[in-house]
């Protein structure tokens, strides 16, 4: 799976148990949509690697407690800490009205009322403030 075909779901933030469970911060307004996933892609060394999920549950609203298949020790969980989570774009919930996802505006032209077209959108950057103060 290519990163361009996926969306950023969140980040593996910390270990939860000595049996390899982890807590992942979910970058979404609706974390409950992702509570029963079968698998996710974990970015490891700039490659997306599929990881299958044995069980998961919401933890303190923005976190997902995950037990991955074959990750059954603290040491194995340590190797995943800080890694980003991705899902295929087709799994994004449909939006209604004039709402849009950031990736959908890449390539749009930017027009200033006075100057005219000044460029194209190449990327959208968001600032995550106090991410780690939540846990």
């Amino acid at each position: 799976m290519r990163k361009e075909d996926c969306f950023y779901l969140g980040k593996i933030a910390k270990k939860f148990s000595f049996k390899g469970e982890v807590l992942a911060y979910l970058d979404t307004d609706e974390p409950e949509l992702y509570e029963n996933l079968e698998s996710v892609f974990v970015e490891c060394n700039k490659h997306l690697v599929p990881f299958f999920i044995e069980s998961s549950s919401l933890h303190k609203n923005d976190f997902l407690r995950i037990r991955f298949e074959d990750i059954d020790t603290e040491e194995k969980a340590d190797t995943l800490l800080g890694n980003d989570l991705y899902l295929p774009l087709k799994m994004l919930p449909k939006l209604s009205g004039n709402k849009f996802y950031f990736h959908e505006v890449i390539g749009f032209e930017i027009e200033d009322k006075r100057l005219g077209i000044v460029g194209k959108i190449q990327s959208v950057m968001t600032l995550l403030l106090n991410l780690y103060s939540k846990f």
Side-chain angles (χ1 to χ4, degrees):
M1 179 69 62
R2 297 176 335 150
K3 198 171 182 178
E4 298 80 29
D5 299 326
C6 295
F7 68 96
Y8 174 78
L9 178 63
K11 180 179 286 289
I12 298 174
K14 65 182 190 176
K15 295 181 286 189
F16 186 79
S17 74
F18 65 90
K19 294 183 180 180
E21 289 178 295
V22 295
L23 289 180
Y25 171 76
L26 300 182
D27 186 22
T28 177
D29 294 332
E30 300 176 292
E32 63 278 357
L33 294 177
Y34 305 100
E35 187 172 9
N36 296 309
L37 296 171
E38 292 180 14
S39 63
V40 293
F41 289 99
V42 178
E43 187 174 27
C44 300
N45 299 318
K46 298 185 181 182
H47 297 288
L48 295 184
V49 179
F51 275 76
F52 293 94
I53 298 173
E54 280 185 16
S55 64
S56 63
S57 61
L58 287 179
H59 182 80
K60 297 184 180 179
N61 298 327
D62 290 337
F63 291 92
L64 189 63
R65 178 179 168 183
I66 305 172
R67 177 185 296 278
F68 289 113
E69 285 183 11
D70 301 323
I71 304 295
D72 53 6
T73 66
E74 283 186 81
E75 293 76 22
K76 289 179 182 178
D78 279 334
T79 65
L80 300 177
L81 294 182
N83 291 5
D84 292 337
L85 301 176
Y86 290 88
L87 287 174
L89 286 172
K90 66 182 179 183
M91 294 184 71
L92 275 172
K94 298 291 182 223
L95 298 177
S96 60
N98 61 357
K99 297 179 181 178
F100 61 89
Y101 290 110
F102 292 148
H103 73 275
E104 294 175 318
V105 297
I106 304 300
F108 279 35
E109 291 182 330
I110 302 166
E111 184 173 356
D112 182 275
K113 288 182 180 180
R114 193 170 41 86
L115 300 173
I117 294 175
V118 294
K120 287 186 178 185
I121 299 174
Q122 295 180 346
S123 65
V124 178
M125 296 177 65
T126 59
L127 185 60
L128 297 173
L129 297 175
N130 300 320
L131 171 64
Y132 292 107
S133 67
K134 290 186 177 186
F135 54 94

